[in-house]
Structure formats: structure tokens, C-alpha cells
Amino acid sequence: MLIKEAKKITGGLSKPGKMPGPAYNLPAWVCQTGQKLAKIEGTPCYGCYALNRGRYRFSNVKAALQRRLDALESPLWVEAMVTLIKKHKYFRWHDSGDIQSDKHLKNIFEVCKQTPETLHWLPTQERQYLPADPEAVPGNLIIRLSGSKVDGPAPKAWPWTSSVTTKDENRTCPAPEQGNQCGSCRACWDKEVDNVCYGKH
């Protein structure tokens, strides 16, 4: 499949400035768990940047997010995503948005299997879609279950997690010291790192 055709089918990839590779984002307004948490003070989703801030407020960005959401139903979505991702070493799923269904996650697994040279990272609040056996996840994909409370403990229901803190001494993500860039850090993609703790922003 040609890249131009793949972009048309999928809505294209996003390019977060801080990341070492591209990403794929969906509308935060369709996050199933995140929409509930966004209304609760003290959760990482409260005051969500992808709902209320920056570029995400622009109509053209909202339209692009909607196109990507609609694209999930295309029978060519997996093939098109593989075309766009396969030459990248690192990939992030959902710099905004989250897993939408069992089928959505199954299709992500298939994309990962067909891009074995790429390391994939998927943060999620949607624990209801996670497989019962973590070994069912493709080896080149790490799913990090996100904590639901700022300054709260990391989740215990999954081997790889992330949490959010307001305390610098608890933060393990080095981005704030690196111009909000990943730099050489790849902890989010590393299965040897059980939990990544981000600063609240």
C-alpha cells in the first residue's frame, strides 16, 4: 500500500514534539474512563490537555481526530497503519484518546505483530479491555495501565504501569529537565521498567 493511500485511510499519524517517533491520536472526548475521570479533581485526567488546551482546541485538529476515530472501522486500517509505522523504531499509541473496544485493541495487536522492528507503547485507563494474560500482548508492545489518582499508588492489576505526581522527588520521567523532551530516555517503551512516574502538568 502506498503511504499516500495509507494516510487517507487512517487519517495519518501525529508527531508529538517530545517523542522519538510518531504517534496516533484519537479524540479525548470519546475516552470511556477518561471522560469520567476528567470530571473528578485529583485524577490525572482532570483538566485534560487534550480537551481544554493548546492545539486541541482548534477546529482543524478536532476534525483530524474525528477522521482517525472514524478510520478505526475501515477493513484496511491494519494494513494502512503497518504501512505508516513499519520504518519507525519507536511508536506511541494515543498521545490523546484511548482504546475504544476489544476489536480496536485486537487490531492494534495485529499492527504490532506486523511491525516487529518497531517498539510500541500504549498508555491506557481502559483496564476492561486488557487481556487476562499479559503474555497475550505482542512482545514489541508495552501497555502501561495508568493510575487513577494524582500522587496515588501505581495500579496493581497489570505488570507495567504509569503514575502521576506533584512531587519532584517521586517523578522518574526526566522530560522536565530536558526541555520537555524524551531525549535519550526510552523508559516508557522498556519492559524492564515496571512504573514510570510523570510530573503533573
Side-chain angles (χ1 to χ4, degrees), residues 93-94 98-99 105 108 120-124 141-144:
W93 292 93
H94 309 146
D98 210 329
I99 303 166
L105 185 58
I108 289 173
H120 297 258
W121 159 42
L122 193 166
T124 186
L141 168 64
I142 183 167
I143 300 176
R144 290 194 180 275

Side-chain angles (χ1 to χ4, degrees), residues 19-40:
M19 299 285 166
Y24 194 71
N25 54 21
L26 297 173
W29 61 83
V30 296
C31 289
Q32 295 162 23
T33 299
Q35 277 286 66
K36 298 173 184 175
L37 294 177
K39 300 173 184 176
I40 304 173

